[in-house]
């Protein structure tokens, strides 16, 4: 073969190699892009889970605060009830005492 007849073969082999490289790049790009999408999805998932955990902690904190307030109010309510109950019992005793003192005078 001479130099004049070799150039079409060499150029066709070169074109085939270039076409092969282009095809490899086209096949590799979606796989790379898919990995990027998967990483973005994983980051978004972790961010969402972190936000849910933060909301959970805030909710739990508010619930604990409300529970403490309820417990305090129950304690205060119970003490007030006990004081009123003691007052009622004291007043009943006083009324009974007054009745007992009034009985002998009416006879």
């Amino acid at each position: 073969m001479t130099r004049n007849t070799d150039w079409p073969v060499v150029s066709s082999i070169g074109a085939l190699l270039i076409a092969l490289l282009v095809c490899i790049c086209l096949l590799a790009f979606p796989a790379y892009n898919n990995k990027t999408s998967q990483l973005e999805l994983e980051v978004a998932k972790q961010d969402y889970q972190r936000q849910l955990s933060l909301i959970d902690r805030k909710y739990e904190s508010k619930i604990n605060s409300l529970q403490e307030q309820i417990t305090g109010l129950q304690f205060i309510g119970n003490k007030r009830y006990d004081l009123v109950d003691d007052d009622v019992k004291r007043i009943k005793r006083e009324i009974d005492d007054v009745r007992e003192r009034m009985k002998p005078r009416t006879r």
Side-chain angles (χ1 to χ4, degrees):
M1 284 202 207
T2 63
R3 283 195 125 204
N4 289 341
T5 58
D6 285 344
W7 73 270
V9 173
V10 171
S11 62
S12 63
I13 290 174
L16 285 174
L17 286 175
I18 291 173
L20 181 64
L21 288 174
V22 169
C23 288
I24 289 173
C25 288
L26 288 175
L27 289 174
F29 182 72
Y32 172 76
N33 196 18
N34 191 22
K35 288 179 185 176
T36 303
S37 297
Q38 286 176 350
L39 290 175
E40 288 174 358
L41 180 65
E42 187 64 31
V43 167
K45 181 180 173 183
Q46 289 174 358
D47 185 45
Y48 180 72
Q49 288 174 342
R50 191 180 80 253
Q51 288 176 355
L52 281 179
S53 296
L54 181 64
I55 290 170
D56 246 5
R57 284 192 298 271
K58 285 181 181 178
Y59 173 76
E60 204 170 302
S61 173
K62 286 181 181 181
I63 292 296
N64 288 341
S65 173
L66 289 173
Q67 187 63 41
E68 287 175 7
Q69 288 176 2
I70 288 171
T71 303
L73 290 173
Q74 282 176 336
F75 178 78
I76 291 169
N78 289 341
K79 287 297 178 183
R80 284 183 180 169
Y81 175 78
D82 290 343
L83 290 173
V84 169
D85 192 42
D86 289 344
D87 285 344
V88 168
K89 287 178 183 176
R90 182 183 48 81
I91 291 171
K92 283 183 180 179
R93 281 193 305 268
E94 288 176 4
I95 290 172
D96 289 341
D97 287 345
V98 169
R99 281 185 184 159
E100 287 298 317
R101 279 188 257 155
M102 295 296 287
K103 280 184 183 178
R105 290 185 184 173
T106 57
R107 288 188 189 174

